[in-house]
Amino acid sequence: SGNDNSEYLPPIYLPPYFIGPTYASTTLGNSFDFVVKAEDPNNDPLTVTSTIPEGANYDLLTGRFTWTPIQIGTSTAYFIASDGITSSTDFSVLLEVLDNTTTTVNLPPHFVDFNPPTIATATLLYSYDVAAEDPDNDPLVFSLEESPVGMTIASSTGFIQWMPTS
């Protein structure tokens, strides 16, 4: 029988994060229909509140946002998620209603000084803040195409967190 000399590490409480677009557009006479969902790395129960344009609908269970706007212009849908432990996380979606004749060229975004650490240590929190820019100043949405199990990225900020295991 060996002695267990490992120290007790308190749980790491991570804030909730949102998955969803930070920008959506439609033309007059058409609808917005997308999903904004709050997730919690610790699987804590979340309380989500929203402030959305008049006439819009947000289903808290499915995260589905729908709205048929009646005028051209921009507005914003706001969402807040709280796990009751760490600070709450807010998220917004810029909504743009275009007239039916709008056509513009959209240039792709690019990374800025992208150099994430390639070495991680088991049981030490790995984090990296991805920076990117868009030449059109369009809002950006970050996601991971491939990642280790448990790695997360905040879709609105590009902040990556991961607790590697041995």
Side-chain angles (χ1 to χ4, degrees):
S1 69
N3 288 339
D4 184 2
N5 293 329
S6 64
E7 295 178 44
Y8 170 73
L9 294 174
I12 294 175
Y13 290 108
L14 300 173
Y17 61 93
F18 280 93
I19 298 172
T22 55
Y23 172 80
S25 65
T26 190
T27 53
L28 200 57
N30 291 301
S31 299
F32 289 99
D33 190 342
F34 55 82
V35 172
V36 171
K37 286 214 53 120
E39 302 278 337
D40 188 82
N42 303 101
N43 291 319
D44 296 320
L46 296 178
T47 302
V48 178
T49 56
S50 63
T51 304
I52 57 178
E54 188 175 340
N57 185 35
Y58 181 64
D59 186 322
L60 287 171
L61 286 176
T62 64
R64 187 172 178 200
F65 174 92
T66 54
W67 181 41
T68 305
I70 55 173
Q71 66 184 40
I72 294 168
T74 60
S75 55
T76 306
Y78 296 98
F79 305 90
I80 299 173
S82 174
D83 62 8
I85 299 168
T86 58
S87 59
S88 59
T89 301
D90 59 347
F91 184 79
S92 62
V93 183
L94 179 64
L95 305 167
E96 187 170 18
V97 183
L98 308 166
D99 67 36
N100 296 340
T101 60
T102 303
T103 55
T104 57
V105 175
N106 186 19
L107 300 170
H110 58 272
F111 290 110
V112 178
D113 298 331
F114 186 73
N115 189 19
T118 55
I119 297 172
T121 305
T123 72
L124 290 181
L125 183 65
Y126 172 96
S127 64
Y128 183 72
D129 200 1
V130 177
E133 293 175 346
D134 186 89
D136 305 311
N137 288 322
D138 292 332
L140 299 174
V141 177
F142 296 90
S143 62
L144 297 169
E145 280 193 23
E146 288 183 43
S147 63
V149 172
M151 182 176 279
T152 61
I153 188 166
S155 63
S156 55
T157 65
F159 190 71
I160 294 173
Q161 288 185 315
W162 178 45
M163 181 59 70
T165 56
S166 54

